[in-house]
Amino acid sequence: MDTKTFTILHSNDMHGDFLAEAQGAEGRLIGGLALLSGYVNRVRQDNENTIYAIAGDMVQGSLIDSEYKGVSTMEIMNVLAPDVVTLGNHELDYGLAHLLFLEKMANFPIVNANMYIRRSHKRLMRPYHIITRA
């Protein structure tokens, strides 16, 4: 039997906060999307069967994100290249029309199973995304 290994990476609640912070007397950097990107890329390099998912709340919370209403955040998320993303409540903070605009900016699938137009029952986003590995 040929056993395959796969890795699932997950992040959430980024809230448009891109920058690392210095901690401790040494000023060691923690957090930040540059460090996250390096980690995700290293894991992907080590195991081609890696899935990186974001569980929402990418936007709203930082000064940069508030100024650009999530546009800068989506550009950075495109660099992170998640395999799939779902929405958190803060993705709606700039309004539904703006969320649909941000979704069009995304170079990755965004899924949500419970947003639809009540009258016509048309979904606003895909309810699922199938990822095939190994």
Side-chain angles (χ1 to χ4, degrees):
M1 177 192 302
D2 186 24
T3 302
K4 303 277 184 183
T5 300
F6 73 97
T7 301
I8 299 173
L9 300 176
H10 153 270
S11 61
N12 62 284
D13 291 286
M14 294 172 188
H15 292 288
D17 192 6
F18 316 133
L19 306 174
E21 296 178 12
Q23 293 286 315
E26 318 79 49
R28 192 175 134 234
L29 291 179
I30 63 163
L33 295 187
L35 293 173
L36 175 62
S37 177
Y39 177 75
V40 169
N41 288 335
R42 188 174 71 239
V43 172
R44 284 175 166 161
Q45 215 170 36
D46 292 346
N47 183 356
E48 65 184 17
N49 297 316
T50 295
I51 296 171
Y52 174 45
I54 299 176
D57 287 345
M58 295 175 287
V59 303
Q60 185 56 269
S62 73
L63 289 174
I64 295 170
D65 189 82
S66 294
E67 178 68 24
Y68 294 101
K69 295 191 176 3
V71 170
S72 55
T73 299
M74 280 308 216
E75 289 175 346
I76 290 174
M77 294 300 112
N78 282 335
V79 173
L80 282 175
D83 295 292
V84 65
V85 168
T86 192
L87 303 176
N89 61 308
H90 289 290
E91 270 71 47
L92 290 158
D93 284 356
Y94 303 122
L96 178 59
H98 195 72
L99 169 60
L100 296 174
F101 168 73
L102 293 176
E103 191 254 346
K104 295 296 180 207
M105 286 185 64
N107 294 333
F108 47 84
I110 299 177
V111 297
N112 181 279
N114 62 359
M115 287 180 58
Y116 61 92
I117 299 169
R118 186 176 294 187
R119 183 171 288 200
S120 64
H121 297 286
K122 288 187 179 181
R123 292 185 183 279
L124 296 176
M125 302 198 175
R126 296 185 257 185
Y128 62 89
H129 178 71
I130 297 172
I131 299 171
T132 303
R133 296 286 192 269

